Amino acid sequence: MSEVIELLREMVATPSVTCSAHQGLDETHGEGRMVQLVADFWRRSGIDYEIQTVLPGRENVVARIEGGDGPALVLEAHTDTVEVENMEIAPFDPAVKAGRVYGRGACDDKASLAAMMIAVRNVAEKGLPGTVTLAAAANEECGHGGVVTLLESGLHADGAVVGEPTLLQVVVAHKGACRLEITTHGVAAHSSEPNKGNNAIYAMARIIQALEAYAGELGDRPKHPLVSGPTCSVGMIDGGQAPNVVPDRCEISVDRRMIPGECTEDTEQELLGVIAAAAGDEVIWSSTLAFEDYTLETDPECWVARIARRATAAVTGDETVIGVQYGTDASNLSHAGIPSVVLGPGSIAQAHTAVEYVEIEQVEKAVLIYEKLCLQQ
């Protein structure tokens, strides 16, 4: 078994489930065990690294290889995974079957990280044309905190390659997200006399209907050539205390996906306008911007996109650039002025699934691609 697959299996066997704001660190949650694994790898390899605190007990590991005066490159992949509930396989048992590695994180995102680490180690003594920084980032799945901390540390580079499952194709565009929490406020009463109360769920129903119509209207808007059109979805709802109580509160979570050219501020105001029109003067409501993620749109002819295309063409014979629907840390790097692309082994169709896996051949090819990126070949 190749060295990169052994490292990937070790990573899968190392739980690093992401933590929400309401969860604490435990035997499966938190990136601490992966931080130790990555740091140990760099120590054995004789490569300098630093650890950056993102949240209590959750860190980035950043290795840096000094090179010549050529362009500086950042490789970045995240160490956290999504939850393991309802998985149909043992999440932390990295089984190898039919040319695949199975387990939580095998595809998203430990395959990319393992391939990047082996590649950087392999080229460290070859006289790199420019400095290479490899960041193993925390908190991607639940807020992008790791890449924000990385940027706040003063990171500068001429380009970045973010590892995510792209089937080894170069991603130059993806959607962003504007996520709102909307609450309607009513008056509680006994359900035997509902006229004495003000039903917050009924009020929310008006807003939901308006958002459904708005989502349909988005389908008629011009589409981006690589990521298609904007979307809107109500993903969660909560309200009421008991069947015999008129509810005085109802809350929904609204997920609005933006395409390149849209921004959070304008999108939020558009959503609030739709809600205000549906609510009228009768409904008391409030809103909170719960999450935002920038869109990504990188010039396919910029330096980092060109070397990524050249490296993939040399290994896979394909230099096509594509767009994807999901978000990545690349948008934060790009927004900070570092042109970025997304490139990694595996398919997004296997990420976050009950039977997550990655093809071994993809991971081994990724090592070769990342080596060529570091060498700017």
Side-chain angles (χ1 to χ4, degrees), residues 40-238:
D40 286 346
F41 179 90
W42 295 132
R43 276 195 293 272
R44 293 195 306 271
S45 303
I47 292 173
D48 291 336
Y49 67 92
E50 65 172 311
I51 294 178
Q52 302 172 340
T53 299
V54 177
L55 293 163
R58 308 176 66 190
E59 298 90 13
N60 295 336
V61 186
V62 183
R64 182 181 173 90
I65 314 296
E66 297 292 342
D69 296 329
L73 175 68
V74 171
L75 301 179
E76 192 257 25
H78 63 90
T79 55
D80 59 329
T81 72
V82 295
E83 287 286 355
V84 300
E85 293 179 357
N86 302 318
M87 287 194 73
E88 297 174 9
I89 58 174
F92 309 123
D93 179 12
V96 176
K97 295 183 291 185
R100 300 168 175 172
V101 177
Y102 287 80
R104 179 56 83 222
C107 178
D108 185 11
D109 189 34
K110 294 178 178 181
S112 290
L113 180 58
M116 286 179 171
M117 288 168 61
I118 296 294
V120 168
R121 194 279 317 275
N122 287 351
V123 301
E125 302 298 330
K126 292 188 176 181
L128 300 180
T131 296
V132 173
T133 300
L134 198 168
N139 190 227
E140 189 271 349
E141 295 287 4
C142 201
H144 298 280
V147 71
V148 170
T149 299
L150 181 66
L151 290 166
E152 289 175 347
S153 73
L155 178 73
H156 296 287
D158 296 289
V161 176
V162 172
E164 291 281 359
T166 71
L167 287 172
L168 300 180
Q169 293 181 295
V170 179
V171 171
V172 295
H174 68 57
K175 291 183 178 181
C178 173
R179 202 164 293 155
L180 298 184
E181 292 180 354
I182 307 299
T183 303
T184 49
H185 307 274
V187 177
H190 197 285
S191 62
S192 64
E193 296 180 290
N195 57 306
K196 292 185 177 181
N198 184 0
N199 194 310
I201 291 178
Y202 288 168
M204 186 62 80
R206 294 166 54 177
I207 292 173
I208 292 173
Q209 285 184 317
L211 288 170
E212 183 179 11
Y214 167 71
E217 293 167 6
L218 289 177
D220 296 328
R221 294 190 182 180
K223 294 176 172 52
H224 186 276
L226 294 180
V227 305
S228 190
T231 61
C232 183
S233 174
V234 176
M236 297 180 68
I237 185 167
D238 180 66

